[in-house]
Amino acid sequence: MAPVLQSSQPWVEKYRPRQVKDVAHQDEVVRVLTNTLETASCPHMLFYGPPGTGKTTTALAIAHQLFGPELYKSRVLELNASDDRGINVVRTKIKDFAAVAVGSAQRQVGYPCPPYKIIILDEADSMTEDAQACLSLLIRMDNFMNALRRTMETHSKVTRFFFICNYISRIIEPLASRCAKFRFKPLSEEVMCSRVMHICNKEGLNVDAEALSTLSSISQGDLRRAITYLQGAARLFGSSISSKDLISVSGVIPQEVTGALYAACKSGDFDLANKEVTNVIAEGYPVSQMLSQLFDMVLEADDISDEQKARICKSLATADKCLVDGADEYLQMLDVASNTTRALCNMPLEFSYES
Amino acid sequence: MLWVDKYRPKTLDQVLVHKDTAQNLKKLVSEQDCPHLLFYGPSGSGKKTLIMALLRQMFGASAEKVKVETKTWKIDAGSRTIDLELTTLASTHHVELSPSDAGFQDRYIVQEIIKEMAKNRPIDTKGKKGFKVLVLNEVDKLSREAQHSLRRTMEKYSASCRLILCCNSSSRVTEAIRSRCLNVRINAPTEDQVRRSLLHFFHSSSIKIPILLIETVNNTILFLMGLNDSLQKIVKVLEFIGQKEGLQLPSGFASRIADKSNRSLRRAILSFETCRVQQYPFNINQTIPPMDWEEYVAEISSDIMREQSPKRLFQVRGKLYELLTNCIPPEVILKKLLSELLKKLDEELKHEVSHWAAYYEHRMRQGQKAIFHLEAFVAKFMSIYKGFLIATFG
């Protein structure tokens, strides 16, 4: 691929840490991996945590640092959800890659080049259970070979797996128990601010303190999102960015809109609530976002009882699940509005005419 | 040519309704590092128009020379090969496709075809842009697997390719994708905007419009709907078209069309054209023909309000089938049916009925056969309504 102009890269790529020690906020992982770099020994790893906390970045950085650019291609296999990863691929592609022996003769100056290969499986929670079971078998075989290693002289058939996922619960137990697990925490506000400031300085942006704290609150610990918003705002509004600009880029719904819906529900008038819902849909606000903002609002409201809050939250949860299943936004929003209205006005929980 | 296409703004500067967004987009592409974009908003709000105008802004007039291509791709999926037929709309700089067309096989489109397209750098490197653009329609209809597949592709090939995603409901797009894009919300033009667009059409043909009349009618409508400055934009567009076509538009007329349009500009312009064919010169009280399927749904709703019995249910089934065979999407039918019912129901029943509508729509999404769930909703409604009637009147 021809070299690309630096400027045409999204900032997320441009400022992706290239070394493990630059990864922000994940001290535990960084400590273990720095150790790995020195001793060149490394267990199978499982990185999990919310999006935008540096999982993929860390895995790629450690692979690069271990092998250097020359050996990287032959030693590291990176598979993500954009590749087909059904059980067939595990049986053929991954197994073949793992089976090829590594000669210890090839060495790169300045890199540890340990005598094993690395397979990075990004977004592992989207793999099927069958494929995961197959993988765990592969690891068992691999560990077995590892135990035999002393008797085998020059070549060793060993592979290290790095699994990356958002939800550890979606990784089958036999696989998870074979790995060292690392949780990636959402970034704290200070860390987020210092990374963002770093980028602002490099790009010559002028961001005040208020905008910074807005940015970290709307991105909720997701650094990638924060940087994407920052770049979006910088493109749209030039080099000095206020917190209002950031909000308009981020798709956060203005407080007035949520407030109007809540007030309509509170009035107890179904038609009024319906009108507000129609408006929200026509304005194109994402309903999932609306639900979470409504949730915040309900939690903070101090003039309603716990029972009312619980009723509203229950209907929010149901609607959220339905949205994930792909249900219609308008109908779900209307159902939430109707439930909220009934909760706020102490109407009975059960429907009266249901047979 | 339909008026909808004839008066589609070609450049970002011509855009009437989303002026601010258009100007922002213009600034965005004037720089080298344009991010991935996700356009979302209700249908008929102008997402596609903005995207086309944006492409023109990026690549100049050559982005408009598109050719339609239907190509069969052979995809090797492990043990078997799959033949996928895919229609694309491509210029030298961009490719537009709807990956969700492939149904449950959409994953392969993302994994193989889109990745292949994204990998290859554009041949023409002399052009000022070092990347090409893939426009993906209806990303909200993509399966979860396909969306997962898209994630890393977006990052890995960001050097040579930009994605512009377009969808109606951004809730159905995974968080992972949303956080990789600059999100652009396109709201439906308020009724006010529509009205003004309509007016605009008239002005150039120098037709005198009694201003007072417009205002009165407009205010009445606005008052009735409880909207303050809605509808204006739709009216604006309609007026613009009328003017270009050299039509004489009675002032309240645009407002009435806008009012009927559910804030969808496309629909407003289409029904405007229908009215023109039907009767010209316009009469302020001319009926604006509603969509025939909407009338049909309204009929169903009054049917089931009148009688609740298995026999009536059977009749309604026939009508629902009729709608489905005419390619009206089941969720649209359900929503329209609900809104018709809500108009006539008592306050206490509204909550209950809307709950069940949401319930059955969700079921419909998970199930296979839409008719079952539509019918279940109708049956549920009948049972509730009957219970209500018995409780009230004995």
Side-chain angles (χ1 to χ4, degrees), chain B residues 14-56:
Chain B
Q14 286 173 9
V15 174
L16 272 175
V17 177
H18 299 284
K19 263 207 176 103
D20 299 343
T21 319
Q23 289 313 311
N24 282 341
L25 287 173
K26 200 171 163 188
K27 264 189 260 169
L28 193 71
V29 293
S30 61
E31 306 276 340
Q32 273 287 320
D33 54 348
C34 162
H36 298 299
L37 295 171
L38 170 68
F39 285 80
Y40 62 95
S43 63
S45 59
K47 300 180 292 294
K48 223 30 189 304
T49 307
L50 278 170
I51 292 176
M52 295 319 291
L54 180 71
L55 287 172
R56 197 194 147 103

mmCIF file of all heavy atoms in Angstrom, chain B residues 14-56:
data_model
loop_
_atom_site.group_PDB
_atom_site.id
_atom_site.type_symbol
_atom_site.label_atom_id
_atom_site.label_comp_id
_atom_site.label_asym_id
_atom_site.label_seq_id
_atom_site.Cartn_x
_atom_site.Cartn_y
_atom_site.Cartn_z
ATOM 1 N N GLN B 14 -27.160 24.850 -2.522
ATOM 2 C CA GLN B 14 -28.567 24.961 -2.915
ATOM 3 C C GLN B 14 -29.522 24.405 -1.871
ATOM 4 O O GLN B 14 -30.720 24.586 -1.978
ATOM 5 C CB GLN B 14 -28.807 24.184 -4.205
ATOM 6 C CG GLN B 14 -28.258 24.862 -5.433
ATOM 7 C CD GLN B 14 -28.372 23.969 -6.643
ATOM 8 O OE1 GLN B 14 -29.004 22.922 -6.611
ATOM 9 N NE2 GLN B 14 -27.746 24.393 -7.723
ATOM 10 N N VAL B 15 -28.976 23.685 -0.909
ATOM 11 C CA VAL B 15 -29.850 23.031 0.060
ATOM 12 C C VAL B 15 -30.650 24.067 0.823
ATOM 13 O O VAL B 15 -30.102 25.025 1.340
ATOM 14 C CB VAL B 15 -29.026 22.166 1.035
ATOM 15 C CG1 VAL B 15 -29.904 21.615 2.130
ATOM 16 C CG2 VAL B 15 -28.368 21.042 0.277
ATOM 17 N N LEU B 16 -31.967 23.875 0.821
ATOM 18 C CA LEU B 16 -32.834 24.871 1.445
ATOM 19 C C LEU B 16 -33.102 24.556 2.906
ATOM 20 O O LEU B 16 -33.103 25.425 3.761
ATOM 21 C CB LEU B 16 -34.176 24.884 0.731
ATOM 22 C CG LEU B 16 -34.354 25.777 -0.472
ATOM 23 C CD1 LEU B 16 -35.718 25.518 -1.072
ATOM 24 C CD2 LEU B 16 -34.240 27.219 -0.058
ATOM 25 N N VAL B 17 -33.347 23.279 3.161
ATOM 26 C CA VAL B 17 -33.926 22.936 4.454
ATOM 27 C C VAL B 17 -32.866 22.819 5.540
ATOM 28 O O VAL B 17 -33.010 23.371 6.621
ATOM 29 C CB VAL B 17 -34.739 21.639 4.326
ATOM 30 C CG1 VAL B 17 -35.280 21.242 5.678
ATOM 31 C CG2 VAL B 17 -35.882 21.841 3.355
ATOM 32 N N HIS B 18 -31.808 22.096 5.245
ATOM 33 C CA HIS B 18 -30.785 21.901 6.274
ATOM 34 C C HIS B 18 -29.581 22.785 6.000
ATOM 35 O O HIS B 18 -28.469 22.298 5.833
ATOM 36 C CB HIS B 18 -30.371 20.438 6.323
ATOM 37 C CG HIS B 18 -31.493 19.534 6.670
ATOM 38 N ND1 HIS B 18 -31.980 19.410 7.935
ATOM 39 C CD2 HIS B 18 -32.260 18.733 5.920
ATOM 40 C CE1 HIS B 18 -32.989 18.564 7.951
ATOM 41 N NE2 HIS B 18 -33.176 18.139 6.726
ATOM 42 N N LYS B 19 -29.822 24.065 5.954
ATOM 43 C CA LYS B 19 -28.763 25.002 5.575
ATOM 44 C C LYS B 19 -27.535 24.874 6.463
ATOM 45 O O LYS B 19 -26.407 24.802 5.979
ATOM 46 C CB LYS B 19 -29.296 26.425 5.645
ATOM 47 C CG LYS B 19 -29.750 26.929 4.311
ATOM 48 C CD LYS B 19 -29.656 28.438 4.229
ATOM 49 C CE LYS B 19 -30.014 28.905 2.842
ATOM 50 N NZ LYS B 19 -31.363 29.467 2.745
ATOM 51 N N ASP B 20 -27.754 24.830 7.768
ATOM 52 C CA ASP B 20 -26.618 24.813 8.699
ATOM 53 C C ASP B 20 -25.802 23.546 8.531
ATOM 54 O O ASP B 20 -24.581 23.582 8.446
ATOM 55 C CB ASP B 20 -27.109 24.890 10.148
ATOM 56 C CG ASP B 20 -27.867 26.165 10.386
ATOM 57 O OD1 ASP B 20 -27.716 27.077 9.540
ATOM 58 O OD2 ASP B 20 -28.591 26.249 11.385
ATOM 59 N N THR B 21 -26.530 22.419 8.470
ATOM 60 C CA THR B 21 -25.842 21.147 8.299
ATOM 61 C C THR B 21 -25.031 21.161 7.016
ATOM 62 O O THR B 21 -23.880 20.721 6.986
ATOM 63 C CB THR B 21 -26.871 20.006 8.225
ATOM 64 O OG1 THR B 21 -27.883 20.255 9.180
ATOM 65 C CG2 THR B 21 -26.217 18.682 8.481
ATOM 66 N N ALA B 22 -25.644 21.685 5.954
ATOM 67 C CA ALA B 22 -24.958 21.700 4.662
ATOM 68 C C ALA B 22 -23.670 22.524 4.749
ATOM 69 O O ALA B 22 -22.621 22.111 4.248
ATOM 70 C CB ALA B 22 -25.883 22.269 3.600
ATOM 71 N N GLN B 23 -23.756 23.669 5.413
ATOM 72 C CA GLN B 23 -22.558 24.505 5.525
ATOM 73 C C GLN B 23 -21.486 23.810 6.359
ATOM 74 O O GLN B 23 -20.296 23.862 6.030
ATOM 75 C CB GLN B 23 -22.906 25.867 6.144
ATOM 76 C CG GLN B 23 -23.700 26.767 5.216
ATOM 77 C CD GLN B 23 -23.105 26.829 3.813
ATOM 78 O OE1 GLN B 23 -21.898 27.043 3.651
ATOM 79 N NE2 GLN B 23 -23.921 26.613 2.795
ATOM 80 N N ASN B 24 -21.929 23.130 7.410
ATOM 81 C CA ASN B 24 -20.970 22.396 8.234
ATOM 82 C C ASN B 24 -20.282 21.295 7.441
ATOM 83 O O ASN B 24 -19.071 21.107 7.551
ATOM 84 C CB ASN B 24 -21.679 21.773 9.441
ATOM 85 C CG ASN B 24 -21.933 22.802 10.507
ATOM 86 O OD1 ASN B 24 -21.294 23.851 10.518
ATOM 87 N ND2 ASN B 24 -22.872 22.523 11.385
ATOM 88 N N LEU B 25 -21.060 20.605 6.646
ATOM 89 C CA LEU B 25 -20.487 19.525 5.842
ATOM 90 C C LEU B 25 -19.478 20.086 4.855
ATOM 91 O O LEU B 25 -18.442 19.482 4.586
ATOM 92 C CB LEU B 25 -21.593 18.791 5.081
ATOM 93 C CG LEU B 25 -22.485 17.894 5.913
ATOM 94 C CD1 LEU B 25 -23.637 17.371 5.083
ATOM 95 C CD2 LEU B 25 -21.688 16.732 6.480
ATOM 96 N N LYS B 26 -19.790 21.248 4.349
ATOM 97 C CA LYS B 26 -18.900 21.876 3.381
ATOM 98 C C LYS B 26 -17.552 22.161 4.022
ATOM 99 O O LYS B 26 -16.492 21.907 3.447
ATOM 100 C CB LYS B 26 -19.539 23.173 2.894
ATOM 101 C CG LYS B 26 -18.987 23.648 1.582
ATOM 102 C CD LYS B 26 -19.815 24.805 1.085
ATOM 103 C CE LYS B 26 -19.059 25.562 0.025
ATOM 104 N NZ LYS B 26 -19.742 26.789 -0.342
ATOM 105 N N LYS B 27 -17.624 22.659 5.251
ATOM 106 C CA LYS B 27 -16.374 22.933 5.972
ATOM 107 C C LYS B 27 -15.615 21.634 6.211
ATOM 108 O O LYS B 27 -14.406 21.573 6.117
ATOM 109 C CB LYS B 27 -16.698 23.576 7.329
ATOM 110 C CG LYS B 27 -16.626 25.083 7.315
ATOM 111 C CD LYS B 27 -16.738 25.603 8.735
ATOM 112 C CE LYS B 27 -18.145 26.075 9.025
ATOM 113 N NZ LYS B 27 -18.419 26.363 10.422
ATOM 114 N N LEU B 28 -16.396 20.612 6.509
ATOM 115 C CA LEU B 28 -15.807 19.321 6.863
ATOM 116 C C LEU B 28 -14.965 18.761 5.731
ATOM 117 O O LEU B 28 -13.873 18.247 5.950
ATOM 118 C CB LEU B 28 -16.943 18.357 7.189
ATOM 119 C CG LEU B 28 -16.586 17.054 7.858
ATOM 120 C CD1 LEU B 28 -16.183 17.338 9.268
ATOM 121 C CD2 LEU B 28 -17.783 16.138 7.830
ATOM 122 N N VAL B 29 -15.462 18.851 4.509
ATOM 123 C CA VAL B 29 -14.733 18.214 3.418
ATOM 124 C C VAL B 29 -13.678 19.127 2.814
ATOM 125 O O VAL B 29 -12.885 18.688 1.993
ATOM 126 C CB VAL B 29 -15.680 17.726 2.303
ATOM 127 C CG1 VAL B 29 -16.532 16.617 2.823
ATOM 128 C CG2 VAL B 29 -16.503 18.846 1.754
ATOM 129 N N SER B 30 -13.673 20.371 3.228
ATOM 130 C CA SER B 30 -12.650 21.251 2.693
ATOM 131 C C SER B 30 -11.282 20.881 3.269
ATOM 132 O O SER B 30 -10.251 21.212 2.707
ATOM 133 C CB SER B 30 -12.987 22.705 2.996
ATOM 134 O OG SER B 30 -13.027 22.876 4.385
ATOM 135 N N GLU B 31 -11.288 20.151 4.358
ATOM 136 C CA GLU B 31 -10.028 19.687 4.942
ATOM 137 C C GLU B 31 -9.712 18.304 4.384
ATOM 138 O O GLU B 31 -10.561 17.633 3.835
ATOM 139 C CB GLU B 31 -10.171 19.573 6.464
ATOM 140 C CG GLU B 31 -10.665 20.825 7.135
ATOM 141 C CD GLU B 31 -9.540 21.787 7.420
ATOM 142 O OE1 GLU B 31 -8.381 21.353 7.445
ATOM 143 O OE2 GLU B 31 -9.836 22.979 7.612
ATOM 144 N N GLN B 32 -8.479 17.906 4.574
ATOM 145 C CA GLN B 32 -8.094 16.595 4.065
ATOM 146 C C GLN B 32 -8.698 15.441 4.883
ATOM 147 O O GLN B 32 -9.142 14.452 4.339
ATOM 148 C CB GLN B 32 -6.564 16.468 4.077
ATOM 149 C CG GLN B 32 -5.929 17.012 2.820
ATOM 150 C CD GLN B 32 -6.167 16.107 1.621
ATOM 151 O OE1 GLN B 32 -6.114 14.905 1.745
ATOM 152 N NE2 GLN B 32 -6.455 16.691 0.480
ATOM 153 N N ASP B 33 -8.684 15.596 6.196
ATOM 154 C CA ASP B 33 -9.018 14.434 7.008
ATOM 155 C C ASP B 33 -10.483 14.360 7.381
ATOM 156 O O ASP B 33 -10.874 14.644 8.491
ATOM 157 C CB ASP B 33 -8.154 14.391 8.260
ATOM 158 C CG ASP B 33 -8.247 15.681 9.028
ATOM 159 O OD1 ASP B 33 -8.785 16.646 8.451
ATOM 160 O OD2 ASP B 33 -7.801 15.736 10.168
ATOM 161 N N CYS B 34 -11.267 13.969 6.419
ATOM 162 C CA CYS B 34 -12.693 13.806 6.668
ATOM 163 C C CYS B 34 -12.932 12.498 7.419
ATOM 164 O O CYS B 34 -12.397 11.468 7.049
ATOM 165 C CB CYS B 34 -13.390 13.797 5.315
ATOM 166 S SG CYS B 34 -15.017 13.134 5.306
ATOM 167 N N PRO B 35 -13.694 12.529 8.508
ATOM 168 C CA PRO B 35 -13.943 11.274 9.228
ATOM 169 C C PRO B 35 -15.036 10.437 8.539
ATOM 170 O O PRO B 35 -15.624 10.889 7.563
ATOM 171 C CB PRO B 35 -14.425 11.764 10.588
ATOM 172 C CG PRO B 35 -15.030 13.081 10.321
ATOM 173 C CD PRO B 35 -14.330 13.667 9.142
ATOM 174 N N HIS B 36 -15.255 9.238 9.057
ATOM 175 C CA HIS B 36 -16.413 8.475 8.598
ATOM 176 C C HIS B 36 -17.668 9.202 9.059
ATOM 177 O O HIS B 36 -17.685 9.828 10.101
ATOM 178 C CB HIS B 36 -16.424 7.081 9.219
ATOM 179 C CG HIS B 36 -15.250 6.247 8.848
ATOM 180 N ND1 HIS B 36 -14.973 5.899 7.552
ATOM 181 C CD2 HIS B 36 -14.288 5.682 9.593
ATOM 182 C CE1 HIS B 36 -13.887 5.159 7.528
ATOM 183 N NE2 HIS B 36 -13.445 5.011 8.758
ATOM 184 N N LEU B 37 -18.725 9.079 8.290
ATOM 185 C CA LEU B 37 -19.936 9.814 8.638
ATOM 186 C C LEU B 37 -21.106 8.855 8.799
ATOM 187 O O LEU B 37 -21.210 7.854 8.091
ATOM 188 C CB LEU B 37 -20.281 10.813 7.534
ATOM 189 C CG LEU B 37 -19.281 11.946 7.306
ATOM 190 C CD1 LEU B 37 -19.633 12.701 6.055
ATOM 191 C CD2 LEU B 37 -19.281 12.884 8.489
ATOM 192 N N LEU B 38 -21.952 9.165 9.728
ATOM 193 C CA LEU B 38 -23.196 8.402 9.897
ATOM 194 C C LEU B 38 -24.359 9.374 9.865
ATOM 195 O O LEU B 38 -24.491 10.217 10.744
ATOM 196 C CB LEU B 38 -23.168 7.633 11.218
ATOM 197 C CG LEU B 38 -24.469 6.976 11.656
ATOM 198 C CD1 LEU B 38 -24.832 5.839 10.730
ATOM 199 C CD2 LEU B 38 -24.367 6.454 13.068
ATOM 200 N N PHE B 39 -25.159 9.299 8.811
ATOM 201 C CA PHE B 39 -26.340 10.152 8.700
ATOM 202 C C PHE B 39 -27.534 9.389 9.235
ATOM 203 O O PHE B 39 -27.778 8.265 8.821
ATOM 204 C CB PHE B 39 -26.622 10.500 7.235
ATOM 205 C CG PHE B 39 -25.688 11.518 6.664
ATOM 206 C CD1 PHE B 39 -24.428 11.145 6.241
ATOM 207 C CD2 PHE B 39 -26.074 12.838 6.535
ATOM 208 C CE1 PHE B 39 -23.555 12.068 5.703
ATOM 209 C CE2 PHE B 39 -25.199 13.775 5.997
ATOM 210 C CZ PHE B 39 -23.944 13.393 5.583
ATOM 211 N N TYR B 40 -28.262 9.987 10.148
ATOM 212 C CA TYR B 40 -29.489 9.322 10.578
ATOM 213 C C TYR B 40 -30.626 10.300 10.716
ATOM 214 O O TYR B 40 -30.417 11.478 10.993
ATOM 215 C CB TYR B 40 -29.270 8.547 11.873
ATOM 216 C CG TYR B 40 -28.860 9.381 13.065
ATOM 217 C CD1 TYR B 40 -29.802 9.837 13.971
ATOM 218 C CD2 TYR B 40 -27.537 9.707 13.267
ATOM 219 C CE1 TYR B 40 -29.434 10.589 15.068
ATOM 220 C CE2 TYR B 40 -27.159 10.465 14.354
ATOM 221 C CZ TYR B 40 -28.110 10.903 15.252
ATOM 222 O OH TYR B 40 -27.729 11.657 16.329
ATOM 223 N N GLY B 41 -31.820 9.800 10.526
ATOM 224 C CA GLY B 41 -32.999 10.652 10.617
ATOM 225 C C GLY B 41 -34.160 9.948 9.949
ATOM 226 O O GLY B 41 -33.967 8.959 9.268
ATOM 227 N N PRO B 42 -35.368 10.464 10.163
ATOM 228 C CA PRO B 42 -36.535 9.812 9.586
ATOM 229 C C PRO B 42 -36.523 9.884 8.057
ATOM 230 O O PRO B 42 -35.776 10.677 7.483
ATOM 231 C CB PRO B 42 -37.702 10.601 10.163
ATOM 232 C CG PRO B 42 -37.140 11.847 10.704
ATOM 233 C CD PRO B 42 -35.709 11.623 10.974
ATOM 234 N N SER B 43 -37.347 9.062 7.404
ATOM 235 C CA SER B 43 -37.303 9.055 5.948
ATOM 236 C C SER B 43 -37.934 10.329 5.402
ATOM 237 O O SER B 43 -38.803 10.921 6.018
ATOM 238 C CB SER B 43 -38.018 7.828 5.402
ATOM 239 O OG SER B 43 -39.363 7.873 5.769
ATOM 240 N N GLY B 44 -37.437 10.736 4.245
ATOM 241 C CA GLY B 44 -37.924 11.961 3.638
ATOM 242 C C GLY B 44 -37.379 13.212 4.273
ATOM 243 O O GLY B 44 -37.885 14.302 4.051
ATOM 244 N N SER B 45 -36.312 13.090 5.076
ATOM 245 C CA SER B 45 -35.793 14.286 5.720
ATOM 246 C C SER B 45 -34.613 14.866 4.952
ATOM 247 O O SER B 45 -34.153 15.955 5.251
ATOM 248 C CB SER B 45 -35.381 13.967 7.162
ATOM 249 O OG SER B 45 -34.399 12.965 7.174
ATOM 250 N N GLY B 46 -34.092 14.142 3.967
ATOM 251 C CA GLY B 46 -33.045 14.716 3.125
ATOM 252 C C GLY B 46 -31.659 14.151 3.338
ATOM 253 O O GLY B 46 -30.675 14.794 2.984
ATOM 254 N N LYS B 47 -31.560 12.964 3.908
ATOM 255 C CA LYS B 47 -30.237 12.365 4.132
ATOM 256 C C LYS B 47 -29.524 12.111 2.808
ATOM 257 O O LYS B 47 -28.387 12.511 2.609
ATOM 258 C CB LYS B 47 -30.380 11.024 4.868
ATOM 259 C CG LYS B 47 -31.047 11.119 6.214
ATOM 260 C CD LYS B 47 -31.147 9.767 6.873
ATOM 261 C CE LYS B 47 -32.104 8.842 6.156
ATOM 262 N NZ LYS B 47 -33.505 9.271 6.193
ATOM 263 N N LYS B 48 -30.253 11.468 1.910
ATOM 264 C CA LYS B 48 -29.654 11.094 0.634
ATOM 265 C C LYS B 48 -29.274 12.323 -0.175
ATOM 266 O O LYS B 48 -28.194 12.380 -0.771
ATOM 267 C CB LYS B 48 -30.669 10.258 -0.134
ATOM 268 C CG LYS B 48 -30.136 9.045 -0.816
ATOM 269 C CD LYS B 48 -28.963 8.480 -0.115
ATOM 270 C CE LYS B 48 -28.333 7.400 -0.933
ATOM 271 N NZ LYS B 48 -29.315 6.375 -1.253
ATOM 272 N N THR B 49 -30.138 13.303 -0.154
ATOM 273 C CA THR B 49 -29.856 14.525 -0.875
ATOM 274 C C THR B 49 -28.557 15.154 -0.384
ATOM 275 O O THR B 49 -27.697 15.556 -1.172
ATOM 276 C CB THR B 49 -31.011 15.523 -0.655
ATOM 277 O OG1 THR B 49 -32.211 14.871 -0.976
ATOM 278 C CG2 THR B 49 -30.823 16.744 -1.488
ATOM 279 N N LEU B 50 -28.411 15.203 0.929
ATOM 280 C CA LEU B 50 -27.199 15.789 1.496
ATOM 281 C C LEU B 50 -25.973 14.967 1.129
ATOM 282 O O LEU B 50 -24.911 15.522 0.813
ATOM 283 C CB LEU B 50 -27.322 15.891 3.016
ATOM 284 C CG LEU B 50 -28.091 17.098 3.508
ATOM 285 C CD1 LEU B 50 -28.365 16.989 4.987
ATOM 286 C CD2 LEU B 50 -27.318 18.367 3.223
ATOM 287 N N ILE B 51 -26.116 13.652 1.136
ATOM 288 C CA ILE B 51 -24.965 12.808 0.818
ATOM 289 C C ILE B 51 -24.537 13.032 -0.628
ATOM 290 O O ILE B 51 -23.349 13.183 -0.926
ATOM 291 C CB ILE B 51 -25.305 11.317 1.055
ATOM 292 C CG1 ILE B 51 -25.491 11.060 2.547
ATOM 293 C CG2 ILE B 51 -24.212 10.416 0.518
ATOM 294 C CD1 ILE B 51 -25.909 9.662 2.892
ATOM 295 N N MET B 52 -25.509 13.080 -1.535
ATOM 296 C CA MET B 52 -25.163 13.304 -2.935
ATOM 297 C C MET B 52 -24.500 14.656 -3.123
ATOM 298 O O MET B 52 -23.511 14.789 -3.853
ATOM 299 C CB MET B 52 -26.412 13.219 -3.827
ATOM 300 C CG MET B 52 -27.090 11.859 -3.885
ATOM 301 S SD MET B 52 -25.957 10.481 -3.974
ATOM 302 C CE MET B 52 -25.282 10.713 -5.604
ATOM 303 N N ALA B 53 -25.046 15.658 -2.456
ATOM 304 C CA ALA B 53 -24.463 16.994 -2.570
ATOM 305 C C ALA B 53 -23.056 17.019 -1.985
ATOM 306 O O ALA B 53 -22.151 17.683 -2.512
ATOM 307 C CB ALA B 53 -25.351 18.009 -1.871
ATOM 308 N N LEU B 54 -22.882 16.259 -0.919
ATOM 309 C CA LEU B 54 -21.571 16.194 -0.268
ATOM 310 C C LEU B 54 -20.539 15.557 -1.195
ATOM 311 O O LEU B 54 -19.411 16.039 -1.337
ATOM 312 C CB LEU B 54 -21.695 15.372 1.015
ATOM 313 C CG LEU B 54 -20.435 15.198 1.841
ATOM 314 C CD1 LEU B 54 -20.077 16.502 2.504
ATOM 315 C CD2 LEU B 54 -20.624 14.132 2.897
ATOM 316 N N LEU B 55 -20.944 14.488 -1.880
ATOM 317 C CA LEU B 55 -20.033 13.816 -2.804
ATOM 318 C C LEU B 55 -19.646 14.754 -3.937
ATOM 319 O O LEU B 55 -18.504 14.798 -4.377
ATOM 320 C CB LEU B 55 -20.697 12.568 -3.386
ATOM 321 C CG LEU B 55 -20.824 11.399 -2.419
ATOM 322 C CD1 LEU B 55 -21.666 10.306 -3.021
ATOM 323 C CD2 LEU B 55 -19.455 10.867 -2.052
ATOM 324 N N ARG B 56 -20.613 15.535 -4.383
ATOM 325 C CA ARG B 56 -20.323 16.486 -5.440
ATOM 326 C C ARG B 56 -19.328 17.528 -4.966
ATOM 327 O O ARG B 56 -18.416 17.935 -5.680
ATOM 328 C CB ARG B 56 -21.621 17.164 -5.880
ATOM 329 C CG ARG B 56 -21.490 17.841 -7.209
ATOM 330 C CD ARG B 56 -22.657 18.762 -7.421
ATOM 331 N NE ARG B 56 -22.198 19.884 -8.197
ATOM 332 C CZ ARG B 56 -22.452 20.001 -9.485
ATOM 333 N NH1 ARG B 56 -23.139 19.112 -10.116
ATOM 334 N NH2 ARG B 56 -22.005 21.066 -10.129
#
